[in-house]
Each structure stands twice: as structure tokens, then as C-alpha cells.
Amino acid sequence: MGHIPPLPSGRDTAGQERFHTITTSYYRGAMGIMLVYDITNAKSFENISKWLRNIDEHANEDVERMLLGNKCDMEDKRVVPKAKGEQISREHGIRFFETSAKANINIEKAFLTLAEDILRKTPVKEPNSENVDISSGGGVTGWKSKCC
């Protein structure tokens, strides 16, 4: 069995061909994808377009996507204006949040929103039609009766 190298921590892999096959395998069957850039790093924002193209090529057509501009607690080091994140999210019809993993800003909101959006797209299974009859007062009389 081959060894898969770990993704380099703190580095963007979008432009690195040696990680192409690894990252594309993660797309298969994914129901939701969060694209995260660093608001203090212009290159990470520029790579979002590459990631979006990758998703279009390799992920399911109906995958739910979300754009996150992380490190919003570092306003003094910001190089990517919030308006740029808003613009790219509008162009691609995806939700956008600015977050801070360090200061716990919008993290829970982003994950809950993505989960809710996925659930909204997921077909609801019909409940089992085998119900207990509680209307006759005589206990269980069968599995195919009306309830409530």
C-alpha cells in the first residue's frame, strides 16, 4: 500500500501538482466544501478561483460550497478587503463569512449554515408506514392503522 504524504500545514496546495490526485479524491461524494482563504494573505485569496474550478471539475454538481475569509481578528494586517470576498461569493452564488478560528468568530455559524444548506438539499425519506393503532384502546391490534 502506498504512502500518502500529509498536506503541508499552513500552506495552500491548490497550485501544487503533486497534491492534485489527493485533493481531487476528497471531492468525490462530498456534500459540502468550505473554501478558506487568509485575509492577511493575498495569494491565498487569488487561489480561490483555482479551487472553485477544481470543484466544478471534480465534485458533484450539487455540492454545497461556502467561502470563508479567515483571520478577521487581524484587521491591522488585512490585505484582502471584505468586499472582494463578497464579490467572488456573489459571482459564484455561494455563501460568504469572515471568520476567526483563533477568536471563535462565525465558526459555529459557518458550520451550522453549511450543514443546514446541505440538509435542505437532501431528499427526505418517507416515514415507515407501519404504525401502532392506539385509537382502539385494546392494545396493539396491527401495524397498518392510523395514528395521531
Side-chain angles (χ1 to χ4, degrees):
M1 193 172 239
H3 171 71
I4 297 176
L7 295 177
S9 61
R11 295 178 64 199
D12 184 12
T13 61
Q16 299 179 33
E17 281 306 311
R18 66 193 177 118
F19 293 110
H20 182 73
T21 55
I22 298 169
T23 55
T24 56
S25 69
Y26 286 122
Y27 296 138
R28 273 183 240 117
M31 298 173 82
I33 297 174
M34 287 181 163
L35 296 116
V36 184
Y37 67 91
D38 176 348
I39 70 157
T40 70
N41 181 326
K43 182 72 176 163
S44 71
F45 180 75
E46 290 162 17
N47 281 333
I48 290 297
S49 294
K50 292 177 194 171
W51 283 110
L52 286 165
R53 280 194 301 275
N54 260 324
I55 290 167
D56 288 343
E57 287 175 30
H58 301 287
N60 290 341
E61 192 175 290
D62 63 343
V63 70
E64 196 63 42
R65 301 165 298 161
M66 177 179 281
L67 180 64
L68 301 179
N70 196 39
K71 297 190 183 179
C72 70
D73 60 297
M74 299 177 69
E75 193 59 46
D76 57 325
K77 293 189 169 79
R78 177 189 288 273
V79 295
V80 181
K82 186 175 183 179
K84 281 196 166 194
E86 291 169 337
Q87 179 185 356
I88 199 167
S89 69
R90 267 194 315 275
E91 288 170 3
H92 292 273
I94 60 179
R95 288 191 191 268
F96 170 70
F97 292 102
E98 283 204 337
T99 60
S100 169
K102 183 178 180 181
N104 195 20
I105 298 167
N106 279 340
I107 299 297
E108 187 173 349
K109 183 177 183 180
F111 277 95
L112 286 174
T113 302
L114 183 64
E116 287 166 359
D117 290 345
I118 291 167
L119 283 172
R120 208 170 286 118
K121 281 184 170 180
T122 306
V124 179
K125 292 182 180 176
E126 288 298 316
N128 196 334
S129 63
E130 296 178 349
N131 295 321
V132 176
D133 183 359
I134 60 169
S135 61
S136 68
V140 176
T141 58
W143 290 103
K144 298 216 185 215
S145 59
K146 298 173 193 130
C147 177
C148 312

